[in-house]
Amino acid sequence: MFEYAPAPESRDIVDIRPSYGLFINGEWVEPQGEERHKTVNPATEEVLAEVAWAGEADVDRAVQAAAKAFPVWSAMPGAERAKYLFRIARIIQERARELAVLETLDNGKPIRESRDVDLPLVAAHFFYYAGWADKLSYAGFGPDPRPLGVAGQVIPWNFPLLMLAWKIAPALACGNTVVLKPAETTPLTALAFAEICRQADLPPGVVNIVTGAGGTGAALVNHPGVDKVAFTGSTEVGRLIARSLAGTRKKLTLELGGKAANIVFEDAPLDQAVEGIVNGIFFNQGHVCCAGSRLLVQESVAADLLEALKRRLGTLRLGDPLDKNTDIGAINSAEQLAKIRELSEAGEAEGAERWSPACSIPDRGYWFPPTLFTGVAQSHRIAREEIFGPVLSVLTFRTPAEAVEKANNTPYGLSAGVWTEKGSRMLWMASRLRAGVVWSNTFNRFDPTSPFGGYKESGYGREGGRHGLEAYLAV
Ligand code: NDP
């Protein structure tokens, strides 16, 4: 195979301040406490900036700002709110390159993904929900659907700006105001978004951004002034939040973990399926809640498929996330790397066979090579637990019924993929798979018009599409 010359994207386009405050009521304010934390580039361990750590008093201030802005924002005609959302979408497009570089620096994902997937989807979400703002009466939720009030939103680190867009765009379109907490390890694009709100002249208090860690998130979701909680993250924390909100008047949506099956039948186009498997689990280093982390392949084609898959994995390039040729970037944090290592070691200890292509790992930063496990039993931890890293567990099946049985044998139910040339089989499978999203001959496809969400321990509520409005309306 030939070598690629390095093609790094310039980072000069981003201007990272040494230190950030909180964005409350349209202004940058200092937190009441002294505590701050550093956000690092996971590919180099270089400190990028210091970020404020919001305590309960700061969260209270942000919720009050959002509550004060609510009567004005919610009373504004939908067509006027839409103008702000369209303006935000246009500014995101104009600043897309800068935001993509910033996301890659703070998160570790390849620039090709932040530039070609995350950022276009972020803008598309704002455009899409801008279009709904003046049509809520026709959305199927009654003639005059009302917003809920203040939305407290907590998001994870795997798609920082995209998760912000999934949360903020529908909330604002419906007339709610927002307090959002980004993840501790990836706050920078949310802070850049605060600047975009100012650039768009969004009225003060409509969007507030509070940075911090789990405690800040807990203070936000438990604040009595919050009317709606939207959370994306681990099932463990989702469970905690559901417990603490039970019996309150707050409306809750949870988008949690997954352990998706990517199912390949013998009649599938195998080369295409290999690309779909790679995209399913190695996209974003496998830090994807709907990642196709369990490959179920029909026994008759398992050997051929695995050979082709291994050949393809040998061509993936791991390294500098800012390089436009990079396929696999850095793992987002030392903690996540430790978790991936621990589960991979458990896979070996339980008897599965581990394989990775030859690939050199940079000296600094957090890295994990693309890995696959064969000989995996359904009882193995690597077949049951979310690894949230570039690790694929391979299982086989003989009949469609067995494929359904194995695919559904998980506490999760977020997504699944089916590869077959037969439409009838596809529909047969889709109607039996207990997953919120079933992809057909593709994987990890997202679109703002399409609802996304889970069953079972993957959470409840839908984001995206017309369904995504429901979470932010009193219906
Ligand atoms: P968490 O669920 O801990 O974090 C998600 C968000 O919730 C973060 O903003 C976090 O803050 C915040 N948070 C943490 N504790 C609380 C709390 N008690 N109340 C309110 N908010 C809280 O996920 P992690 O980042 O720790 O990742 C752990 C695992 O979760 C991963 O390995 C993966 O398996 C899964 N995960 C699933 C995701 C999905 O999309 N479904 C996304 C991310 C993770 P902070 O980051 O500051 O701690």
Side-chain angles (χ1 to χ4, degrees), residues 366-417:
Y366 316 126
W367 306 92
F368 199 86
T371 298
L372 63 85
F373 278 98
T374 49
V376 179
Q378 291 189 79
S379 57
H380 288 168
R381 284 182 69 197
I382 52 168
R384 310 201 60 77
E385 295 180 31
E386 190 178 38
I387 302 175
F388 226 64
V391 181
L392 178 66
S393 300
V394 184
L395 297 99
T396 58
F397 66 91
R398 288 183 183 163
T399 63
E402 189 188 346
V404 170
E405 185 80 21
K406 284 186 166 163
N408 288 340
N409 184 7
T410 165
Y412 296 111
L414 195 53
S415 64

Side-chain angles (χ1 to χ4, degrees), residues 71-412:
V72 176
W73 182 248
S74 57
M76 198 181 273
E80 290 303 311
R81 284 201 305 272
K83 286 182 192 167
Y84 287 102
L85 290 172
F86 278 124
R87 207 178 291 162
I88 289 171
R90 290 302 305 270
I91 297 171
I92 288 168
Q93 283 188 321
E94 283 163 19
R95 296 180 58 176
R97 189 163 154 246
E98 171 198 347
L99 292 167
V101 171
L102 188 59
E103 194 77 303
T104 285
L105 286 171
D106 205 19
N107 170 281
K109 62 174 72 200
I111 186 71
R112 222 155 33 87
E113 292 179 6
S114 47
R115 184 194 63 191
D116 298 347
V117 182
D118 295 46
L119 260 298
L121 279 171
V122 170
H125 266 84
F126 280 99
F127 277 120
Y128 175 74
Y129 280 110
W132 269 117
D134 63 345
K135 302 174 195 70
L136 298 174
S137 313
Y138 310 100
F141 304 117
D144 186 24
R146 306 301 308 152
L148 296 165
V150 176
Q153 306 179 319
V154 178
I155 55 170
W157 44 263
N158 52 343
F159 292 94
L161 195 58
L162 184 56
M163 289 301 106
L164 173 150
W166 281 28
K167 298 276 179 286
I168 291 185
L172 298 196
C174 293
N176 302 276
T177 54
V178 161
V179 180
L180 176 130
K181 191 200 92 68
E184 182 186 343
T185 58
T186 53
L188 294 184
T189 44
L191 296 168
F193 182 81
E195 284 294 347
I196 290 173
C197 292
R198 275 164 57 128
Q199 218 181 324
D201 276 332
L202 193 70
V206 172
V207 168
N208 305 275
I209 311 275
V210 289
T211 47
T216 310
L220 176 57
V221 302
N222 292 317
H223 192 290
V226 166
D227 302 288
K228 160 68 227 150
V229 171
F231 172 79
T232 298
S234 61
T235 295
E236 191 190 346
V237 174
R239 217 177 260 136
L240 274 178
I241 294 176
R243 209 173 287 141
S244 65
L245 264 55
T248 70
R249 64 184 173 78
K250 293 177 192 172
K251 200 165 168 174
L252 173 64
T253 41
L254 295 173
E255 204 271 89
L256 311 175
K259 192 76 192 174
N262 204 356
I263 306 163
V264 181
F265 283 95
E266 61 189 1
D267 62 356
L270 289 193
D271 288 341
Q272 227 170 294
V274 165
E275 291 308 308
I277 295 162
V278 169
N279 179 38
I281 184 65
F282 301 112
F283 169 61
N284 202 31
Q285 294 74 246
H287 302 327
V288 184
C289 48
C290 52
S293 51
R294 284 184 300 150
L295 172 63
L296 299 187
V297 54
Q298 200 156 16
E299 216 170 82
S300 48
V301 290
D304 289 349
L305 185 84
L306 274 175
E307 194 189 319
L309 184 60
K310 285 181 174 173
R311 212 170 32 238
R312 179 68 177 94
L313 295 191
T315 67
L316 294 179
R317 283 175 298 271
L318 176 147
D320 180 8
L322 276 179
D323 192 315
K324 288 168 232 160
N325 294 321
T326 292
D327 299 303
I328 311 256
I331 300 301
N332 180 248
S333 63
E335 290 74 34
Q336 190 58 28
L337 180 58
K339 185 180 162 195
I340 299 168
R341 284 190 175 142
E342 194 246 316
L343 274 163
S344 299
E345 280 157 20
E348 277 182 299
E350 287 185 317
E353 193 179 323
R354 179 176 181 162
W355 182 90
S356 287
C359 86
S360 58
I361 302 283
D363 300 332
R364 288 178 66 81
Y366 316 126
W367 306 92
F368 199 86
T371 298
L372 63 85
F373 278 98
T374 49
V376 179
Q378 291 189 79
S379 57
H380 288 168
R381 284 182 69 197
I382 52 168
R384 310 201 60 77
E385 295 180 31
E386 190 178 38
I387 302 175
F388 226 64
V391 181
L392 178 66
S393 300
V394 184
L395 297 99
T396 58
F397 66 91
R398 288 183 183 163
T399 63
E402 189 188 346
V404 170
E405 185 80 21
K406 284 186 166 163
N408 288 340
N409 184 7
T410 165
Y412 296 111

Side-chain angles (χ1 to χ4, degrees), residues 30-53:
E30 284 306 307
Q32 299 208 336
E34 296 287 302
E35 207 172 347
R36 306 186 77 79
H37 78 97
K38 296 179 168 56
T39 183
V40 302
N41 177 346
T44 59
E45 298 175 55
E46 159 207 8
V47 174
L48 295 170
E50 267 194 3
V51 177
W53 197 283

